C-alpha cells in the first residue's frame, strides 16, 4: 500500500470527432508526466465534448473503442496509468464514462449517473445514466470518480463516500459562464468535499467548441473546503499533484500537498478572454487562414477587430472600410486610427457605385415611393455582399460584429451586417461592449496576441453610436438608451420576467411593451444569424429556443 501517489492533471483543449488527434495529445501529455502514477484527462476527452449528433454514428463509437484500447496498451510500459473520458456501449446503450487504463489494459470503467438536460446540455438525448458508481482501488487509494454533473447533486458523492471513497476525481466538460468559476468552487465542489469529508479534484478542459468555450480553471479542494491547488484559466496546463497518506483518528486520510494557486481573470477580462479563445479555436479548428471584417469607425467593429487581433495576431486580420455618402470623416479617421493601433491591414471599398446601381435598377418598380428603411438596408446588404466576396475570393472567414442588444430587437439587417461565419459579440449587450472597450484600451488580456497599448481611439468609445445609413442618424433615434434597453432585455431574456414585473422595477410600460414585441418578432432573424460565443446564462441558440411563430405576450 503506497503512502504517496502522484496524480497529474491535464487541462487540455480538444478536437471534437478527431479521435487520433485527441489520443496523440493525451500521449504527449503523458510523456510530460513520466514520474506520475496517474494522469487524468477531462470528460469525453477522447471524442471531444459536446459531440452532439456525432455520437449517433456507430462508426465514431467503434473507433472510440479501438482508440481507447490502443491507449490502454501503451500503459504496459510501466509509466503512468491514465483516466480517460470516452463513450461506452453496455447492453446496447450509450454511456458517458471514464476508463482507468493501467498495466496495458482497461482496468475499470465508471459511467455518469446524473445527465444534465438544461441550457447548453442535452445529454439525455444521447446517453443512458449509469448505475451509482463504486470506488476504484488504485495503488492503495479508493478513488471516487464522479463525472461533471454528478457533483452538482449530493447523491453520487455521498454514495461513493459510504462505499469508502478517499479521493474524489471529478472530470468535467464545464462551459464558461459569467461567475461560473465561483459557483463551481464555492457553490458545488467545496460543498461536496465538506459534506463527505473527502478531498475533491475538479479537472476541466479549456478551449472553444462552436458556441461554447471552456475556461479550464481546474482545482483541488480539501475536506475542510480549503483551496489546495488552482490551475490557470484560459490556457492549457499540466500539473502534478502529490498526495500523501496520513493517520486520521482510527483510520487514515489522503491529503494533497499545497500546490500552485493561480489568479483567475477578473471581470471583464474573463468575458474578453472567452471571446478571444472562442474565436481563435473556431478559426483555427476550421482551418481558415484568418478573418476579414468591416471596420466602420464604430465601437462594435472596433472591439471585434481587437478581439480578432488578440485571438489570431494582426497579420491574420483584414479590415475593410466601406464608406457611403453618409459616412462621416470622423468615422473614416476613427477606423484608420483603430487599424493603425492594431497593426492590421485596412482597405477602403466605397459602396456608392453599387448604391447608385441598385437605385437605378429598382427605380421602375419603386416609382412613386419615398425612400425609407429599404434604402438603408440596401446599403447594409451591399456591405455584406462586399465582405462575403472578399471572403470567397481570398479565404478568410467573415467576422460579424452585431451585439446582443441589436440582435435582441432586430436592429440589424439580415443578409447585410448579419452576414458572417462567427460573431464574438453575439451574447454581449451593448453596455458590455462599452465596458470591454474601455478595459481593453487600458489592459491587455493574459492570452492576447495584440498590442499592450490602446486598441482604438477614445472617441470611438465616447461618441453616440450610429449606423450612418441616413443623414445624422443615431441609434437613439430608433432605440431606448442602451442602459435602459439592456436592463429591460436582461429581465425579458435572462430572467424570463413579464412586462408587469419589469414595469414594477421602475421602467416605462410603453417602452417595455415595445421591447418585448421587438424581441419576439426578431426571432426569425436570430435563427439565421451566425454562431457566437456563449457568455451568460441565456444565449440565443443553445440556451434560449423560442418559436418564431407565436402569439404570446406578457404586456
Amino acid at each position: 500500500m503506497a503512502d504517496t501517489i502522484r496524480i497529474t492533471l491535464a487541462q487540455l483543449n480538444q478536437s471534437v470527432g478527431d479521435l487520433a488527434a485527441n489520443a496523440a495529445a493525451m500521449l504527449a501529455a503523458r510523456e510530460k508526466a513520466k514520474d506520475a502514477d496517474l494522469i487524468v484527462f477531462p470528460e469525453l476527452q477522447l471524442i471531444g465534448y459536446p459531440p452532439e449528433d456525432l455520437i449517433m454514428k456507430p462508426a465514431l463509437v467503434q473507433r472510440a473503442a479501438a482508440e481507447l484500447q490502443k491507449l490502454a496498451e501503451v500503459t504496459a510500459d510501466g509509466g503512468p496509468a491514465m483516466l480517460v473520458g470516452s463513450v461506452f456501449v453496455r447492453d446496447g446503450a450509450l454511456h458517458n464514462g471514464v476508463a482507468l487504463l493501467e498495466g496495458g489494459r482497461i482496468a475499470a470503467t465508471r459511467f455518469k449517473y446524473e445527465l444534465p438536460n438544461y441550457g447548453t446540455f442535452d445529454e439525455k438525448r444521447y446517453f443512458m445514466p449509469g448505475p451509482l458508481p463504486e470506488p476504484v482501488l488504485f495503488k492503495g487509494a479508493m478513488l471516487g470518480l464522479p463525472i461533471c454533473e454528478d457533483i452538482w447533486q449530493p447523491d453520487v458523492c455521498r454514495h461513493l463516500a459510504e462505499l469508502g471513497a478517499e479521493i474524489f476525481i471529478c472530470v468535467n466538460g464545464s462551459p464558461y459562464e459569467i461567475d461560473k468559476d465561483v459557483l463551481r468552487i464555492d457553490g458545488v465542489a467545496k460543498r461536496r468535499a465538506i459534506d463527505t469529508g473527502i478531498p475533491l479534484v475538479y479537472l476541466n478542459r479549456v478551449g472553444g467548441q462552436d458556441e461554447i468555450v471552456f475556461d479550464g480553471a481546474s482545482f483541488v479542494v480539501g475536506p475542510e473546503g480549503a483551496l489546495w491547488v488552482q490551475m490557470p484559466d484560459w490556457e492549457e496546463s499540466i500539473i502534478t499533484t502529490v498526495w500523501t497518506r496520513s493517520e486520521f483518528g482510527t483510520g487514515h486520510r489522503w491529503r494533497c500537498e499545497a500546490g500552485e494557486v493561480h489568479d483567475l481573470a477578473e471581470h471583464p477580462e474573463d468575458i474578453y478572454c472567452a471571446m478571444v479563445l472562442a474565436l481563435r479555436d473556431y478559426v483555427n479548428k476550421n482551418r481558415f487562414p484568418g478573418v476579414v471584417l468591416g471596420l466602420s469607425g464604430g465601437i462594435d467593429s472596433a472591439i471585434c477587430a481587437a478581439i480578432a487581433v488578440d485571438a489570431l495576431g494582426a497579420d491574420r486580420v483584414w479590415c475593410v472600410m466601406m464608406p457611403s455618402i453618409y459616412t462621416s470623416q470622423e468615422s473614416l479617421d476613427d477606423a484608420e486610427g483603430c487599424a493603425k493601433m492594431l497593426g492590421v491591414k485596412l482597405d477602403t471599398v466605397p459602396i456608392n457605385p453599387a448604391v447608385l446601381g441598385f437605385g437605378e435598377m429598382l427605380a421602375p418598380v419603386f416609382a412613386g415611393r419615398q425612400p425609407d428603411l429599404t434604402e438603408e438596408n440596401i446599403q447594409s446588404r451591399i456591405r455584406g455582399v462586399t465582405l462575403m466576396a472578399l471572403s470567397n475570393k481570398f479565404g478568410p472567414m467573415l467576422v460579424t460584429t452585431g451585439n446582443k442588444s441589436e440582435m435582441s430587437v432586430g436592429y440589424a439587417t439580415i443578409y447585410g451586417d448579419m452576414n458572417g461565419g462567427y460573431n464574438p459579440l453575439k451574447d454581449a449587450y451593448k453596455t458590455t461592449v462599452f465596458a470591454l472597450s474601455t478595459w481593453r484600451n487600458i489592459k491587455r488580456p493574459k492570452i492576447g496576441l495584440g498590442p499592450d497599448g490602446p486598441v482604438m481611439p477614445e472617441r470611438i468609445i465616447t461618441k453616440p453610436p450610429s449606423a450612418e445609413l441616413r443623414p445624422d442618424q443615431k441609434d437613439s433615434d430608433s432605440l431606448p438608451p442602451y442602459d435602459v434597453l439592456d436592463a429591460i432585455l436582461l429581465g425579458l431574456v435572462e430572467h424570463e420576467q413579464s412586462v408587469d414585473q419589469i414595469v414594477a422595477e421602475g421602467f416605462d410600460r410603453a417602452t417595455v411593451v415595445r421591447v418585448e414585441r421587438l424581441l419576439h418578432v426578431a426571432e426569425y432573424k436570430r435563427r439565421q444569424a451566425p454562431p457566437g460565443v456563449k457568455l451568460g446564462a441565456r444565449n440565443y441558440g443553445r440556451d434560449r429556443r423560442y418559436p418564431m411563430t407565436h402569439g404570446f405576450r406578457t404586456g
Side-chain angles (χ1 to χ4, degrees):
M1 184 178 293
D3 290 323
T4 302
I5 299 177
R6 297 172 64 85
I7 301 174
T8 295
L9 309 180
Q11 177 176 291
L12 301 182
N13 208 317
Q14 62 173 5
S15 297
V16 169
D18 193 343
L19 282 70
N22 291 333
M26 286 190 278
L27 290 175
R30 183 176 183 266
E31 186 66 22
K32 296 178 181 178
K34 288 182 178 180
D35 295 334
D37 296 298
L38 174 67
I39 181 167
V40 184
F41 300 97
E43 179 182 11
L44 285 179
Q45 186 69 17
L46 183 57
I47 66 170
Y49 188 82
E52 299 185 89
D53 283 7
L54 272 178
I55 203 70
M56 294 182 174
K57 287 191 172 294
L60 182 137
V61 177
Q62 293 163 8
R63 290 183 190 178
E67 204 69 50
L68 186 68
Q69 183 59 40
K70 292 179 186 176
L71 289 173
E73 292 168 1
V74 169
T75 63
D77 64 1
M82 306 170 74
L83 189 65
V84 177
S86 187
V87 61
F88 301 85
V89 180
R90 292 293 185 273
D91 299 324
L94 285 178
H95 294 279
N96 176 345
V98 293
L100 177 65
L101 312 181
E102 183 184 15
R105 64 189 180 93
I106 299 175
T109 56
R110 295 294 184 267
F111 302 147
K112 194 172 184 176
Y113 179 77
E114 299 282 359
L115 298 181
N117 216 60
Y118 55 87
T120 62
F121 306 105
D122 49 7
E123 289 195 27
K124 290 182 180 179
R125 174 178 170 87
Y126 308 110
F127 301 117
M128 288 292 292
L132 279 167
E134 296 182 1
V136 174
L137 181 63
F138 178 76
K139 293 191 178 299
M142 293 289 279
L143 305 181
L145 304 177
I147 300 172
C148 202
E149 192 75 10
D150 286 344
I151 71 166
W152 289 73
Q153 304 296 330
D155 292 351
V156 173
C157 287
R158 286 177 180 173
H159 173 78
L160 286 165
E162 289 171 359
L163 294 181
E166 298 170 304
I167 303 172
F168 291 138
I169 300 179
C170 181
V171 298
N172 296 266
S174 179
Y176 166 79
E177 282 182 17
I178 295 169
D179 291 331
K180 196 172 185 182
D181 52 351
V182 176
L183 178 60
R184 291 183 194 127
I185 298 176
D186 295 334
V188 178
K190 287 185 179 180
R191 288 186 180 184
R192 299 290 88 82
I194 293 171
D195 179 44
T196 60
I198 297 171
L200 187 147
V201 176
Y202 185 102
L203 178 66
N204 194 25
R205 66 166 39 84
V206 68
Q209 173 59 33
D210 294 344
E211 293 178 285
I212 58 177
V213 64
F214 302 95
D215 54 325
S218 306
F219 57 87
V220 180
V221 292
E224 303 87 7
L227 186 64
W228 286 348
V229 175
Q230 175 64 71
M231 296 174 70
D233 51 357
W234 305 115
E235 60 186 87
E236 290 190 318
S237 178
I238 300 173
I239 70 162
T240 297
T241 60
V242 180
W243 296 77
T244 55
R245 185 197 307 270
S246 59
E247 295 299 322
F248 182 76
T250 58
H252 58 264
R253 173 178 288 177
W254 288 94
R255 298 189 68 85
C256 178
E257 293 182 5
E260 302 173 26
V261 177
H262 291 263
D263 292 330
L264 302 182
E266 297 183 352
H267 294 313
E269 183 180 10
D270 61 329
I271 300 174
Y272 193 88
C273 285
M275 295 174 168
V276 168
L277 188 55
L279 180 63
R280 177 183 295 164
D281 278 356
Y282 192 82
V283 170
N284 290 339
K285 291 178 182 180
N286 287 291
R287 297 178 175 85
F288 289 104
V291 297
V292 61
L293 69 150
L295 194 62
S296 68
I299 193 169
D300 293 330
S301 63
I303 193 64
C304 279
I307 291 166
V309 169
D310 280 323
L312 305 170
D315 59 330
R316 297 178 67 192
V317 179
W318 182 11
C319 293
V320 184
M321 179 58 162
M322 295 165 287
S324 74
I325 60 173
Y326 304 117
T327 302
S328 66
Q329 186 61 46
E330 182 180 274
S331 293
L332 291 168
D333 294 341
D334 288 344
E336 183 179 3
C338 181
K340 286 182 178 179
M341 288 177 173
L342 290 170
V344 297
K345 175 184 178 183
L346 176 65
D347 281 315
T348 300
V349 181
I351 67 168
N352 204 48
V355 173
L356 294 174
F358 269 90
E360 182 179 349
M361 181 179 73
L362 294 169
V365 290
F366 281 6
R369 300 271 184 163
Q370 292 298 312
D372 55 18
L373 184 63
T374 305
E375 283 73 17
E376 294 182 26
N377 285 340
I378 285 173
Q379 296 172 62
S380 179
R381 291 185 175 122
I382 288 170
R383 290 186 171 114
V385 169
T386 300
L387 291 169
M388 283 304 304
L390 297 175
S391 176
N392 290 162
K393 183 67 70 174
F394 299 100
M397 184 195 75
L398 174 54
V399 168
T400 312
T401 61
N403 60 69
K404 189 173 186 178
S405 305
E406 296 170 346
M407 292 304 304
S408 295
V409 295
Y411 193 64
T413 304
I414 195 167
Y415 320 125
D417 58 315
M418 287 175 61
N419 279 2
Y422 202 83
N423 183 359
L425 303 184
K426 186 176 182 178
D427 203 28
Y429 288 112
K430 188 76 169 190
T431 47
T432 303
V433 171
F434 281 115
L436 289 171
S437 300
T438 300
W439 175 85
R440 183 60 184 91
N441 248 16
I442 299 171
K443 295 185 178 179
R444 180 173 175 265
K446 60 169 70 176
I447 60 170
L449 302 177
D452 286 326
V455 294
M456 66 185 75
E458 189 67 22
R459 183 169 60 184
I460 287 180
I461 301 174
T462 58
K463 68 184 178 182
S466 171
E468 292 191 324
L469 296 174
R470 63 175 183 265
D472 300 319
Q473 183 184 27
K474 299 290 185 292
D475 289 7
S476 56
D477 299 338
S478 304
L479 301 174
Y482 279 115
D483 57 343
V484 174
L485 175 62
D486 289 356
I488 293 172
L489 289 171
L490 194 69
L492 292 171
V493 177
E494 270 72 13
H495 303 307
E496 294 289 3
Q497 290 178 303
S498 67
V499 167
D500 287 344
Q501 288 175 308
I502 297 173
V503 170
E505 294 177 359
F507 293 94
D508 173 68
R509 174 172 291 274
T511 301
V512 179
V513 169
R514 176 172 172 250
V515 170
E516 184 193 47
R517 182 184 67 81
L518 291 173
L519 174 67
H520 288 312
V521 300
E523 187 64 39
Y524 84 101
K525 287 187 177 182
R526 291 190 291 271
R527 289 285 186 97
Q528 300 179 65
V533 61
K534 168 184 165 65
L535 303 171
R538 294 279 282 170
N539 76 318
Y540 293 128
R542 297 185 68 93
D543 288 329
R544 186 181 184 277
R545 309 175 193 183
Y546 265 64
M548 290 180 285
T549 306
H550 71 92
F552 183 75
R553 302 290 186 271
T554 65

